[in-house]
Amino acid sequence: MASLPRLHVDVDLAEGARIVLDRGQSHYLLTVMRRSAGDEVRVFNGRDGEWRARVESGSKREARLSILDQHRVQHSSPDVELLFAPVKKARTDFIVEKAVELGAARLRPVLTERTITDRVRTDRLNALAREAAEQTERLDLAEVCEPVRLPALLEGWDDSRWLIFCDEAGDDAKAPWGGETGRASPMLDVLRRHQERLHLTPALRSRGGAESEISNAPGDSPWAILVGPEGGFTPRERVLLREQPFVLPVTLGPRILRADTAAAAALSLWQAVLGDWGALTNP
């Protein structure tokens, strides 16, 4: 089944329904994948699970499919967002593609003081995210939201969502990357501490633990990860972020990572500790 071509379609899916693919998808299916009438494909819409379909007819301009039966029921990725400062085009594309592969629910470009560009084509990035979802067996789509400036992002933040701030700098303005003073804790340690607090929450409730202890445990709360631009965050931005009660500063290790590498590394750590990497599902 996994060898069948897989397409995202923006229509409701049900047994017996018929679909007309757009020109781009028709070209991909009929010309690139060399499918013809009678062949089977898989389709999903991010809402109704994944379905088997059959090519009813095809031409240079359009392919028509008929829906056969449901292959997988719908489920969603964990609620973790990736917030990233836009970088050069190819590396921004890499961030979006890998974030979708790694299971990010949403992606949002964040404009910081050192961001090298404020022009972001979210339509193109959403198309890239859709292609990555098709290739990686996801049943949901990761939305690429419109860019937002860092202060506005924090001002409108829902403080029920934890924000992991990938902070690779120290506090010494005279030392390269701020020296060693004021460095954040390793991300793996921070995530494990929160995982332990999550496991303790039922026990706290059963013993009548303090309400503040319970409410501060992560539970099933949503998460977000923020990675900065080339050159990192400015001292003013670091102070602004660290002042927020929902922000967890972390470091990704002893080496300074490129922005695209940092995004992939941080999402991988989160998925391994708090995400769905421990839950094996069959495509």
Side-chain angles (χ1 to χ4, degrees):
M1 179 69 71
S3 62
L4 296 179
R6 188 168 186 266
L7 299 172
H8 172 263
V9 293
D10 192 18
V11 296
D12 293 336
L13 297 174
E15 185 175 348
R18 283 177 166 72
I19 300 173
V20 179
L21 299 181
D22 62 33
R23 188 166 186 172
Q25 288 184 317
S26 297
H27 171 79
Y28 170 77
L29 183 63
L30 302 175
T31 304
V32 179
M33 299 304 296
R34 299 181 180 278
R35 281 351 191 232
S36 56
D39 289 339
E40 290 188 0
V41 299
R42 293 177 295 156
V43 294
F44 72 106
N45 61 7
R47 306 183 300 274
D48 301 323
E50 181 179 271
W51 294 70
R52 288 191 312 129
R54 179 178 292 117
V55 180
E56 291 291 329
S57 62
S59 66
K60 291 183 178 180
R61 293 185 177 275
E62 67 177 32
R64 295 178 177 268
L65 309 179
S66 60
I67 305 301
L68 301 177
D69 53 37
Q70 190 179 56
H71 173 49
R72 287 194 290 162
V73 297
Q74 183 66 32
H75 65 80
S76 298
S77 300
D79 191 358
V80 58
E81 299 182 353
L82 177 67
L83 313 175
F84 66 96
V87 288
K88 294 178 181 178
K89 178 177 177 294
R91 294 197 174 276
T92 294
D93 289 354
F94 179 92
I95 289 173
V96 171
E97 180 181 85
K98 300 311 170 189
V100 173
E101 291 182 25
L102 290 166
R106 283 167 299 281
L107 297 88
R108 186 183 295 277
V110 178
L111 306 180
T112 69
E113 293 181 26
R114 291 175 177 163
T115 299
I116 61 175
T117 178
D118 59 0
R119 296 184 61 188
V120 181
R121 284 192 54 191
T122 54
D123 57 338
R124 190 181 65 81
L125 294 180
N126 271 300
L128 185 64
R130 182 176 64 250
E131 292 172 4
E134 291 174 343
Q135 295 166 4
T136 56
E137 302 294 333
R138 284 185 64 153
L139 292 175
D140 57 345
L141 290 181
E143 178 189 7
V144 182
C145 304
E146 291 298 320
V148 61
R149 297 200 173 274
L150 180 60
L153 174 77
L154 298 176
E155 184 178 352
W157 193 262
D158 174 3
D159 59 10
S160 69
R161 182 180 296 275
W162 291 96
L163 175 58
I164 296 173
F165 163 38
C166 296
D167 182 15
E168 303 304 324
D171 294 338
D172 185 353
K174 297 180 180 179
W177 284 91
E180 295 302 318
T181 304
R183 290 271 178 173
S185 299
M187 181 171 174
L188 195 57
D189 290 348
V190 172
L191 293 177
R192 282 173 174 166
R193 286 199 296 269
H194 275 253
Q195 184 185 46
E196 291 170 0
R197 291 168 66 189
L198 170 60
H199 292 160
L200 286 173
T201 300
L204 285 172
R205 288 198 180 99
S206 66
R207 296 197 305 268
E211 183 64 30
S212 61
E213 292 181 274
I214 296 174
S215 63
N216 286 336
D220 294 326
S221 60
W223 290 74
I225 297 171
L226 172 64
V227 296
E230 298 173 357
F233 295 94
T234 65
R236 178 167 54 185
E237 289 172 332
R238 289 185 67 239
V239 170
L240 176 63
L241 282 158
R242 284 171 173 258
E243 287 176 342
Q244 310 306 318
F246 49 82
V247 168
L248 300 173
V250 303
T251 179
L252 295 175
R255 290 165 292 278
I256 301 299
L257 305 180
R258 300 181 79 120
D260 49 344
T261 308
L267 275 169
S268 297
L269 288 172
W270 189 90
Q271 287 285 25
V273 179
L274 296 176
D276 61 6
W277 280 13
L280 180 63
T281 57
N282 293 320

